[in-house]
Amino acid sequence: MASPVGTEIRAAVAPLAALAARYDDRRPDRWEPVPERLDAAIASDVELAEAGRVARAPLVAELARRFEFLAHYLDAILLVPRERFVLPEDLAASADDTPLPLDRAGHATVSAPHAYLLTYSLLDLGPGDRLLELGTGTGYGAALARRIVGPTGHVASIEIDPVLHARAARLLGARPDRQEGDEALASAAAPFDEGAGVTLLCGDGRSLAERVLAGERASSSERPWKVAVTYALTEPPAALEAQLSDGGVLVAPVGAWEGHQELVRVERRQGALLREVHGAVRYVAERGRG
């Protein structure tokens, strides 16, 4: 006999799966860049948006049961439309707590929803904070963070893949910036557009992040950056850690892609770096470095 909980979950997810079928055959190759008109069609599909929200309700309940996430973190999972950030062919799975691929080689994914919240919890991310994210993907993590930090917070995110960067800018309503020079870096420190709430940079994550953090250390900003790395580093990012201002926090998965990875938290407190390890994880490998 099926459990009442299982029956409830299937009932919640069924409409999403049915509506997702509208977009199953829109593209001959799922790994080609998603056309702007297709993203626009998905974003304007009111029935799909409501089905996605309903399908995420059991996910939120499960995350609340498994973890001690803050209520406004769970609200972000419920209210941010993850279906817009996955590939159109994966719409039916967008309410699952599982990573979904963004390229043929598996170099990029939309991470499982709980993975973002674990990182944000370790960062103690909250209203008014400034988040610097390495690895935008299509922007789902930035969208969650934007809701968590609110209108007085800042989100800056860096993506190495120009195709993903451009799609993230479109989905988030942000201006794509492929420059790695001072103009692009200045945009991460400038006042954020209230409509977008996020600045996107394109280039090598660590190189750009080091420059953003170095700029902060030279300024008089009251809020230090909180740094989230969304891909596995083979070793702790010493250069990034060195750039953390007092009160700054960095969370990153550390370990070989094919081996053991751990989620590491580093905080600068009264000049000293304090490091903690928070369990085994599994993330895609860093790109752009040998």
Side-chain angles (χ1 to χ4, degrees):
M1 178 181 296
S3 71
V5 173
T7 301
E8 179 182 342
I9 292 175
R10 285 193 294 274
V13 174
L16 175 62
L19 291 169
R22 295 174 175 176
Y23 304 96
D24 280 349
D25 301 319
R26 296 289 186 96
R27 304 194 299 158
D29 184 351
R30 67 178 269 127
W31 304 118
E32 289 296 313
V34 179
E36 182 175 357
R37 65 182 181 278
L38 183 51
D39 273 334
I42 292 169
S44 64
D45 191 329
V46 177
E47 290 181 307
L48 180 69
E50 176 61 15
R53 187 193 64 78
V54 170
R56 289 191 297 276
L59 167 63
V60 169
E62 177 64 11
L63 293 178
R65 185 188 68 80
R66 291 174 54 202
F67 305 97
E68 295 182 358
F69 291 138
L70 297 173
H72 62 286
Y73 286 18
L74 296 171
D75 286 344
I77 295 294
L78 180 65
L79 297 174
V80 172
R82 190 174 185 240
E83 67 274 4
R84 296 187 189 179
F85 297 91
V86 304
L87 293 181
E89 294 79 5
D90 291 328
L91 288 172
S94 62
D96 296 346
D97 191 26
T98 186
L100 294 171
L102 293 173
D103 64 7
R104 190 188 305 272
H107 291 151
T109 67
V110 179
S111 294
H114 82 271
Y116 293 101
L117 298 195
L118 283 175
T119 293
Y120 298 157
S121 293
L122 291 175
L123 290 172
D124 192 23
L125 192 67
D129 278 339
R130 301 199 302 164
L131 177 73
L132 177 58
E133 178 187 50
L134 282 68
T136 312
T138 52
Y140 177 63
L144 292 174
R146 177 172 60 183
R147 179 166 287 275
I148 291 169
V149 302
T152 61
H154 296 163
V155 178
S157 188
I158 305 167
E159 173 57 45
I160 196 170
D161 184 326
V163 174
L164 292 178
H165 170 74
R167 188 178 182 214
R170 186 166 72 233
L171 295 174
L172 293 167
R175 180 176 65 89
D177 195 337
R178 298 187 182 183
Q179 301 181 67
E180 293 197 7
D182 293 337
E183 180 182 344
L185 295 169
S187 70
F192 281 34
D193 182 275
E194 290 183 359
V198 62
T199 293
L200 301 181
L201 303 174
C202 188
D204 179 77
R206 279 202 263 180
S207 297
L208 285 173
E210 288 165 18
R211 296 176 66 183
V212 170
L213 294 176
E216 177 198 45
R217 289 172 66 86
S219 72
S220 57
S221 174
E222 296 180 359
R223 293 259 187 170
W225 287 105
K226 294 183 175 181
V227 184
V229 182
T230 68
Y231 43 77
L233 309 176
T234 55
E235 57 188 20
L240 283 178
E241 295 174 4
Q243 295 289 358
L244 288 176
S245 298
D246 204 59
V249 187
L250 179 147
V251 173
V254 178
W257 176 80
E258 68 280 5
H260 181 68
Q261 299 175 11
E262 294 178 316
L263 201 58
V264 175
R265 181 185 190 273
V266 180
E267 179 180 2
R268 184 174 294 279
R269 191 183 305 165
Q270 296 181 340
L273 288 174
L274 306 177
R275 183 174 283 100
E276 302 169 345
V277 176
H278 290 270
V281 290
R282 185 71 169 177
Y283 282 76
V284 297
E286 179 179 23
R287 285 185 286 172
R289 302 207 173 208

